[in-house]
Amino acid sequence: MTAQTQDPRPNRRRAPIAITIAVVAVLVVAFFLFAGLYTDVLWYDQLGFLNVLTTQWAARVVLFLIGFVAMAIPVWGSIQIAYRTRPVYAKLNSQLDRYQEVFEPLRRLAMYGIPVVLGIFGGVSASTRWEMPLMWLNRTEFGQTDPQFGFDVSFYVFDLPMLRSIVGFASAVVLLSGLLVIATNYLYGAIRISGREVVIAKAARIQIAVTAGLYLLLQAASIWLDQYATLTDSEGLITGASYTDVHATIPGRTILAAIAAVVAILFIVTAIIGRWRLPLIGTALLIISSLIIGSLYPWIVQRFTVDPSARSLEAPYIERNIDMTRDAYGVADLEEIPYEATTNAEPGALRADAETTASIRLMDPAVIAPAYRQLEQFRQYYGFPSDLDVDRYEIDGSSQDAIVAVRDLDLSGLGDAASWYNSHIVYTHGYGLVAAAGNQRSADGQPVFLQSGIPSTGSLGDFEPRVYFGESSPDYSIVGAPKDAKPVELDYPGSGDDQSQKQTTFAGDGGPALDNAFKKLVYALKFQSEQIIFSDAVNDDSQILYDRDPIQRVNKVAPYLTLDSDTYPTVVDGRIVWVVDGYTTTDQHPYSKKQSMSETIADAQGQTPPIAFDDVNYIRNSVKATVDAYDGTVTLYAWDAEDPLIQTWQKIFPASIHPMSEMSGELMAHVRYPEDLFKMQRAVLGRYHIEDPAAFYSREDAWTTPNDPTAGTNEARLQPPYYLTMQMPGQDAPSYSLYSTFIPETKGGESRNVLRGYLAVDSDAGSEAGKRADTYGKLRLLTLPEEDNVPGPGQVQNTFDSDPTVGRELNILQQGQSKVLNGNLLTVPVGGGLLYVQPVYVQSSGGTSYPLLQKVLVAFGEDIAFENTLDTALDVLFGGDSGASAGDGEVEPVEPGTEPEQPGDGEGDGGETAPPAGDVDTQVAKLLDEAKAAIDDKQAALAEGDFAAYGEADARLAEIVAELIELTGE
């Protein structure tokens, strides 16, 4: 029987097909990667920060190559040496013979593949830390030395992390090389285990001994560097070297480093003479020494020397910690003012504080957002944030605190009209900035708007109202068209007699141009949207706007900054701009207390993260950034040009940060002291307001920030700081300020809720172009005597809630299915004491309701008052005449028991009075006719393939439906 031979030709035919498929797959993946990189280039180039991207890329590539070579070459060389010096006629046991049979076909692949794989890991590890080498190469001295070793602080911030990183990487390389050397020598018989005897060939002995010697030399260097790291360690009472560290740990590490170096030399000697006894004994002695010198001896010093006399022995090191912590957090120049706060509300007590009293803010930005939505939203596709911002404007010659927000675009409101065309071509931007006076309200408790409406009108002057770059802008919009083209973007809806929509075309330079087919293709891939290629609305004059959140934009162009969690809009030089505060931080400042930034800034306005990895012990507000709301232009200004960290980054990214001298006077008038920095400083000052080491050790006068008294009973969140225009003791006139309070630190699970400190910082930078006011950033701390019992916020809130007169009034306000909302509890240093002010809002249970300011609670010492206006409440509180007028003195309040009128009770979302029933029927009929015409237009456009006309008709239909809903309330 003849055996049939299998025809190999089908396999030959399949091989080219498989290769072709693989090549095509690789090319497709490569093109997707290229598309992502190319869109990044277009985005950064359009914004003028291409050097930021290319510098990062160059640093990452160079570090990857260095890491790859530094890992792969030593590993490859070690394996090659071990293999080439293997015994040729080594007698192997049967098990090793089997290992060799399995390994030999893969030997060449392993000898090159293992170094390559490890090299890739090493390269990736190095490239992810691109900031460290760049900062080290461009380091700037701090001009301040540490008190232990006398090094400039820059050594700890720049040099020490770099040196420890190099030593750590080199140790990993040598360790991996040594393990592979041992494995290779064992596999090829250079290392043989015979019973209790280990036989090592000469070549293997030399290579292993030299490798071990190099590893121990690196460990000696690591231990030597660890002595300097004690100045940034945060274990124990303080951050930095304490008595035990200075007298035991640091000398011990010096000795251990020397011992490790000696043992390394012994391994080198072994490579020459061939005896392992000395290095093995030396290694054992090193281990024993590390236990005795590195652990036992410091424990003995701490237990028997320090603990019995800790207060006196630790005093010099606590003083170091206090001084360097206060400097690192920028509170060294804090002005402490003893404040003998009176608790007696005498008539006329506020006469000297009339300007402060007139500026007390009654509108709570965390409460009145629903009022903005109901009164100023106008259409369902507009929106306002849940927490508004506080700014100030010069109006009629005087400064006015204002609650501000932009009318941003919210595509979730489109509902069924959220087609691709509407979402990315028609609805592209928000419209207008809305501002309300902080210290005023209307007769029925509504905000008094300084700037409002569509089109935008008010006291802030003329400015570009369109908001293409906001906190809730669409992920991307495609804008721009030829000059003679009909506008398709919805600018703003009609109002009053003119109900027609207003259209516009973006005229700025806000995003990469889609001026050729290739760019359209790469952006279609980026956003997974083929419509970008096929839509007739995308033309050679189109631009694509994306990454539009102000904080996101600044973070991309300045990745070296830690950004404040809150950005705020303001009108500057005829434009709406977002102001973003940027910080330079490090956790390597010697002797400075470390804090988790995300945990420290969390309060009633922000959640604490479940896990935080952002410890810092040095912070500066080094950059003020602006983002133009119309065209997205990002501008960085060096706010603290003396900061060594920002000077270092300016060397790395030259010309990316503008000097403060280029800031306009209007912009200077609207920058403010940032909240997150203030929260970090108040957290530090809770302990570090104490400058006496003995008192610090005993925590005799430690403070903490009180919990927000207006939060729920089960919510223990810190009270946020508040912006107010006020005059602190030591100031000649009121200024825009940020403040917070302190109560005694919790002891035994309870804390006395009495005031111990009042911290305020001057947040007014002045209005002179390019020049910051001398008083900006001045921290003042009012310290109240220990024996005083000025009630804290929690105690005052409890008094308000338990007062029977207040309770009866609140019960009246809650009639008619209304609910009462307590606004922010403000603490104001006036009248020689501390005045508490809390606005009280009433909100009906209707779905379209919003809070209305109806009452004001005030307290001074043990006395309280609850009246319709702040002006009246102060007069009642201070014996019939406070001596000053508040900003709401002319308000005609709603009588108690009268439920305030809400939008659902007869007002539309725009705050307009509802028309009579007959007029409603007429308008509904008219709108239904318009809706039918819009549907006909949509069908006709679809039949003709005119998608631009289809989108316009679709948008018009959505507007009509929204108006019908608004008109009928259904």
Side-chain angles (χ1 to χ4, degrees):
M1 190 172 187
T2 304
Q4 293 183 353
T5 303
Q6 186 175 1
D7 187 359
R9 285 177 294 180
N11 287 334
R12 293 197 192 102
R13 288 195 295 268
R14 284 196 293 269
I17 297 175
I19 293 172
T20 302
I21 293 174
V23 170
V24 170
V26 169
L27 291 175
V28 170
V29 172
F31 183 75
F32 271 91
L33 293 174
F34 169 78
L37 298 176
Y38 183 56
T39 55
D40 284 342
V41 170
L42 293 175
W43 190 90
Y44 278 92
D45 186 45
Q46 183 276 326
L47 207 52
F49 286 89
L50 184 59
N51 69 314
V52 174
L53 180 65
T54 56
T55 300
Q56 290 184 68
W57 282 0
R60 289 178 184 274
V61 170
V62 170
L63 287 172
F64 177 85
L65 294 175
I66 291 174
F68 179 86
V69 171
M71 176 66 78
I73 297 302
V75 170
W76 175 82
S78 298
I79 296 174
Q80 289 292 323
I81 292 172
Y83 176 74
R84 294 179 185 278
T85 59
R86 71 193 186 282
V88 179
Y89 301 108
K91 184 178 180 180
L92 305 177
N93 58 40
S94 57
Q95 187 176 13
L96 282 178
D97 279 334
R98 288 195 298 272
Y99 286 163
Q100 281 197 13
E101 289 177 4
V102 173
F103 180 73
E104 195 59 30
L106 303 173
R107 175 178 57 79
R108 184 176 297 273
L109 176 62
M111 292 179 69
Y112 288 94
I114 291 175
V116 168
V117 171
L118 292 177
I120 291 173
F121 279 109
V124 170
S125 175
S127 67
T128 56
R129 308 184 71 182
W130 61 272
E131 302 99 330
M132 184 187 297
L134 289 182
M135 294 180 72
W136 177 67
L137 291 171
N138 297 275
R139 58 193 180 277
T140 304
E141 289 194 352
F142 278 64
Q144 179 187 15
T145 58
D146 78 87
Q148 179 62 35
F149 298 103
F151 294 150
D152 189 87
V153 171
S154 61
F155 170 78
Y156 300 92
V157 175
F158 302 118
D159 299 85
L160 186 58
M162 186 65 185
L163 293 173
R164 297 184 78 186
S165 179
I166 292 173
V167 170
F169 187 90
S171 297
V173 172
V174 174
L175 180 62
L176 289 172
S177 298
L179 293 175
L180 290 169
V181 164
I182 293 172
T184 304
N185 280 301
Y186 177 74
L187 183 62
Y188 285 97
I191 300 176
R192 299 192 303 277
I193 301 175
S194 177
R196 299 176 61 182
E197 183 180 9
V198 178
V199 180
I200 304 177
K202 179 180 179 180
R205 183 198 73 219
I206 294 173
Q207 188 176 9
I208 293 173
V210 170
T211 303
L214 289 175
Y215 183 75
L216 279 170
L217 280 175
L218 290 169
Q219 296 316 297
S222 178
I223 295 170
W224 180 267
L225 293 174
D226 285 346
Q227 66 178 316
Y228 304 117
T230 57
L231 269 64
T232 57
D233 288 343
S234 56
E235 297 179 2
L237 176 65
I238 62 172
T239 296
S242 61
Y243 181 94
T244 300
D245 293 322
V246 171
H247 294 85
T249 304
I250 292 175
R253 288 178 178 175
T254 304
I255 295 170
L256 287 175
I259 295 174
V262 170
V263 176
I265 294 173
L266 292 178
F267 273 102
I268 302 299
V269 171
T270 294
I272 300 173
I273 65 175
R275 295 184 180 180
W276 291 95
R277 179 173 298 177
L278 288 178
L280 292 179
I281 293 174
T283 302
L285 289 174
L286 176 60
I287 295 173
I288 295 171
S289 299
S290 65
L291 294 174
I292 295 174
I293 300 174
S295 299
L296 181 60
Y297 179 60
W299 179 81
I300 292 173
V301 172
Q302 180 68 35
R303 183 67 181 271
F304 298 103
T305 302
V306 176
D307 288 349
S309 307
R311 183 165 175 164
S312 59
L313 293 180
E314 296 286 18
Y317 310 102
I318 293 175
E319 186 173 5
R320 294 177 179 182
N321 176 242
I322 292 173
D323 291 342
M324 300 202 77
T325 297
R326 287 167 67 98
D327 182 76
Y329 284 93
V331 298
D333 295 329
L334 171 74
E335 180 183 355
E336 293 194 32
I337 305 171
Y339 193 59
E340 299 280 350
T342 180
T343 56
N344 297 320
E346 301 291 341
L350 302 184
R351 187 165 288 111
D353 300 296
E355 291 184 72
T356 297
T357 307
S359 300
I360 294 176
R361 179 172 50 76
L362 296 175
M363 288 295 162
D364 184 352
V367 172
I368 66 171
Y372 276 53
R373 285 192 285 270
Q374 292 297 325
L375 300 173
E376 287 293 321
Q377 183 172 334
F378 292 109
R379 293 293 185 268
Q380 76 281 6
Y381 47 77
Y382 289 133
F384 291 95
S386 56
D387 284 328
L388 310 181
D389 292 294
V390 181
D391 197 1
R392 73 279 190 201
Y393 289 91
E394 191 78 15
I395 297 176
D396 296 330
S398 60
S399 179
Q400 171 71 63
D401 288 3
I403 312 300
V404 299
V406 296
R407 189 182 292 105
D408 216 340
L409 187 63
D410 182 9
L411 291 181
S412 63
L414 288 180
D416 294 341
S419 62
W420 179 88
Y421 192 92
N422 279 340
S423 299
H424 300 290
I425 302 296
V426 177
Y427 294 92
T428 58
H429 61 278
Y431 192 93
L433 179 140
V434 177
N439 62 341
Q440 299 176 30
R441 52 118 181 235
S442 67
D444 60 354
Q446 293 183 7
V448 175
F449 289 108
L450 306 172
Q451 190 76 29
S452 61
I454 295 181
S456 185
T457 58
S459 304
L460 306 188
D462 295 330
F463 58 90
E464 172 56 64
R466 298 167 183 85
V467 181
Y468 283 88
F469 294 84
E471 294 178 293
S472 65
S473 296
D475 54 351
Y476 73 94
S477 294
I478 298 175
V479 298
K483 292 182 179 180
D484 56 347
K486 181 180 178 182
V488 296
E489 297 177 52
L490 172 68
D491 196 15
Y492 57 87
S495 60
D497 296 333
D498 185 3
Q499 293 292 323
S500 61
Q501 294 180 356
K502 302 300 183 291
Q503 313 296 131
T504 189
T505 299
F506 180 74
D509 182 14
L514 300 177
D515 51 6
N516 59 56
F518 183 73
K519 290 181 181 178
K520 295 176 185 178
L521 174 61
V522 296
Y523 276 107
L525 292 175
K526 178 179 178 66
F527 292 108
Q528 300 294 296
S529 176
E530 70 280 1
Q531 290 93 335
I532 294 177
I533 300 175
F534 299 112
S535 175
D536 61 355
V538 183
N539 51 73
D540 291 345
D541 293 292
S542 294
Q543 302 173 40
I544 185 166
L545 314 181
Y546 61 99
D547 290 341
R548 301 160 75 174
D549 181 87
I551 291 180
Q552 181 186 17
R553 287 179 81 78
V554 176
N555 186 59
K556 289 188 69 172
V557 303
Y560 47 87
L561 294 176
T562 300
L563 302 182
D564 195 271
S565 57
D566 183 39
T567 179
Y568 61 98
T570 187
V571 176
V572 173
D573 301 321
R575 315 276 285 195
I576 298 175
V577 299
W578 298 91
V579 181
V580 183
D581 285 284
Y583 309 114
T584 44
T585 63
T586 180
D587 62 349
Q588 296 300 310
H589 194 287
Y591 274 111
S592 178
K593 174 182 172 61
K594 292 184 180 180
Q595 299 184 109
S596 166
M597 187 166 181
S598 56
E599 290 180 354
T600 303
I601 66 176
D603 53 27
Q605 295 179 351
Q607 298 293 325
T608 303
I611 302 177
F613 299 101
D614 56 352
D615 286 350
V616 302
N617 65 355
Y618 172 92
I619 184 170
R620 290 291 185 270
N621 180 206
S622 52
V623 171
K624 297 285 188 183
T626 61
V627 179
D628 191 293
Y630 183 76
D631 60 17
T633 300
V634 177
T635 309
L636 309 177
Y637 297 100
W639 189 248
D640 187 355
E642 301 301 318
D643 172 39
L645 290 178
I646 202 61
Q647 291 178 13
T648 296
W649 285 113
Q650 284 180 299
K651 296 174 187 176
I652 298 170
F653 300 114
S656 63
I657 303 178
H658 298 261
M660 184 178 65
S661 59
E662 296 184 13
M663 297 178 70
S664 70
E666 281 198 40
L667 178 56
M668 294 293 292
H670 290 283
V671 299
R672 67 188 189 189
Y673 201 83
E675 285 188 64
D676 288 355
L677 174 59
F678 187 72
K679 292 176 185 178
M680 296 288 285
Q681 291 173 328
R682 76 174 179 182
V684 164
L685 286 171
R687 294 273 180 87
Y688 288 85
H689 70 278
I690 305 171
E691 297 188 71
D692 177 60
F696 183 94
Y697 178 82
S698 302
R699 297 186 183 178
E700 295 174 0
D701 195 25
W703 300 339
T704 187
T705 303
N707 288 332
D708 186 2
T710 63
T713 55
N714 297 325
E715 300 180 31
R717 301 180 189 172
L718 299 182
Q719 186 179 36
Y722 297 120
Y723 288 100
L724 284 178
T725 295
M726 63 182 177
Q727 183 174 345
M728 286 280 288
Q731 288 182 292
D732 297 328
S735 67
Y736 188 63
S737 304
L738 181 63
Y739 86 88
S740 186
T741 57
F742 291 109
I743 61 173
E745 189 176 69
T746 302
K747 293 181 180 179
E750 294 184 2
S751 176
R752 294 177 62 222
N753 208 291
V754 293
L755 276 190
R756 281 291 168 262
Y758 185 95
L759 179 67
V761 61
D762 194 324
S763 300
D764 191 349
S767 57
E768 185 176 347
K771 185 178 180 180
R772 184 172 52 222
D774 294 336
T775 55
Y776 173 87
K778 178 65 177 178
L779 286 159
R780 295 179 175 88
L781 176 63
L782 304 184
T783 57
L784 281 71
E786 184 76 24
E787 62 273 10
D788 281 4
N789 287 311
V790 177
Q795 195 176 121
V796 170
Q797 188 68 60
N798 182 65
T799 301
F800 286 160
D801 295 341
S802 59
D803 184 87
T805 303
V806 174
R808 285 194 300 271
E809 294 283 344
L810 292 177
N811 287 334
I812 295 173
L813 290 174
Q814 293 183 82
Q815 292 178 1
Q817 296 184 340
S818 294
K819 60 181 178 180
V820 173
L821 303 174
N822 289 327
N824 43 208
L825 182 59
L826 304 177
T827 311
V828 190
V830 292
L834 290 157
L835 171 70
Y836 286 94
V837 178
Q838 183 174 57
V840 177
Y841 299 85
V842 177
Q843 182 174 358
S844 74
S845 58
T848 58
S849 65
Y850 58 88
L852 297 169
L853 178 58
Q854 294 298 302
K855 290 280 188 176
V856 180
L857 278 163
V858 293
F860 194 90
E862 299 296 329
D863 300 323
I864 68 171
F866 187 43
E867 300 296 332
N868 294 322
T869 67
L870 175 59
D871 201 50
T872 305
L874 293 178
D875 284 339
V876 171
L877 185 66
F878 288 93
D881 180 17
S882 67
S885 297
D888 66 342
E890 298 180 359
V891 174
E892 296 179 3
V894 177
E895 291 299 321
T898 304
E899 186 174 347
E901 187 177 356
Q902 298 283 353
D905 303 325
E907 292 188 4
D909 286 351
E912 299 173 359
T913 304
D919 292 342
V920 169
D921 294 338
T922 303
Q923 292 185 34
V924 167
K926 180 183 177 182
L927 288 173
L928 289 174
D929 291 338
E930 293 179 3
K932 183 178 182 304
I935 294 172
D936 293 339
D937 291 343
K938 281 180 61 178
Q939 293 174 344
L942 185 63
E944 297 175 3
D946 188 348
F947 292 101
Y950 179 87
E952 292 178 13
D954 190 42
R956 192 166 72 253
L957 180 60
E959 288 284 336
I960 295 169
V961 172
E963 290 184 31
L964 281 167
I965 294 172
E966 181 180 353
L967 191 62
T968 61
E970 298 179 2

